[in-house]
Amino acid sequence: MRATLIDFALMAKILIALIISLSSVAQAADPLCYQKERNPNTRQAFASADEYDAFRGDWADQNPGTGNPFSLIKAYNVYKSEKNKAEKMGTDKLAHCYIGCRISQETSYHTADYVGWLKEDRDITDCNYNTRFDEDDYKATARGAQFGESARDAAACESSCKQVYK
């Protein structure tokens, strides 16, 4: 019976991850979404759907490829458990680096890299002018993921990231 409950909980998490990933496709279908998103180059709303679509296409071309669904669930759990600590570190880039490092330690560089890319993809496709796409956030997450390949624990992640993002 216990194994069945664990299997059910795991399947529920996978289903939630799938629904979330499909919802970003549905959000992008909003024909006026471009008016609700900020162009990172001009810091104003996108001027046209074509401009927005071109930007999104360029960003999509940088997609490092999705990871193993089980690794993505584990990455989400790492994020949930480390989020408060990361937010208290002082800077946004330091928080991104730290989370990338911790996810990489617990899963893989590839998973952490994808999660960093996906977070920014969500920011540019959520049709919310107040969320900000920031490619430098993605780069900080990826840098942290590199540190995570050799960092032995959370303290090493924090130390490595603080050397770069003070």
Side-chain angles (χ1 to χ4, degrees):
M1 179 71 169
R2 183 162 188 233
T4 304
L5 290 175
I6 292 170
D7 292 341
F8 178 75
L10 183 59
M11 291 304 295
K13 286 181 180 182
I14 292 170
L15 183 57
I16 289 168
L18 181 61
I19 290 168
I20 289 170
S21 66
L22 292 175
S23 72
S24 61
V25 172
Q27 289 170 343
D30 180 351
L32 301 178
C33 193
Y34 75 93
Q35 295 173 338
K36 302 170 191 169
E37 288 293 348
R38 186 182 313 256
N39 183 328
N41 301 319
T42 66
R43 298 184 183 188
Q44 304 295 319
F46 282 93
S48 69
D50 289 341
E51 179 185 43
Y52 175 67
D53 290 343
F55 183 87
R56 285 192 52 236
D58 289 344
W59 182 246
D61 289 344
Q62 295 181 52
N63 183 339
T66 60
N68 172 319
F70 298 106
S71 294
L72 294 174
I73 291 168
K74 191 169 188 178
Y76 179 71
N77 289 332
V78 169
Y79 164 76
K80 281 187 355 182
S81 69
E82 298 287 353
K83 180 181 181 218
N84 289 336
K85 179 177 181 174
E87 288 176 342
K88 293 176 184 172
M89 290 185 164
T91 70
D92 185 49
K93 302 301 180 267
L94 180 55
H96 278 271
C97 180
Y98 178 76
I99 292 293
C101 184
R102 293 294 292 130
I103 290 173
S104 179
Q105 282 181 324
E106 298 295 326
T107 60
S108 67
Y109 170 85
H110 178 77
T111 299
D113 186 38
Y114 173 71
V115 167
W117 178 89
L118 182 62
K119 192 275 183 202
E120 298 309 314
D121 186 64
R122 294 270 168 81
D123 284 348
I124 200 65
T125 60
D126 65 1
C127 305
N128 182 346
Y129 192 77
N130 295 318
T131 58
R132 296 197 198 318
F133 169 92
D134 186 345
E135 188 169 1
D136 288 337
D137 286 350
Y138 165 65
K139 290 176 182 177
T141 305
R143 183 83 183 261
Q146 289 173 333
F147 294 145
E149 291 183 302
S150 59
R152 65 190 175 287
D153 56 21
C157 283
E158 184 173 357
S159 175
S160 296
C161 290
K162 281 184 175 179
Q163 290 179 18
V164 178
Y165 303 101
K166 298 173 183 164

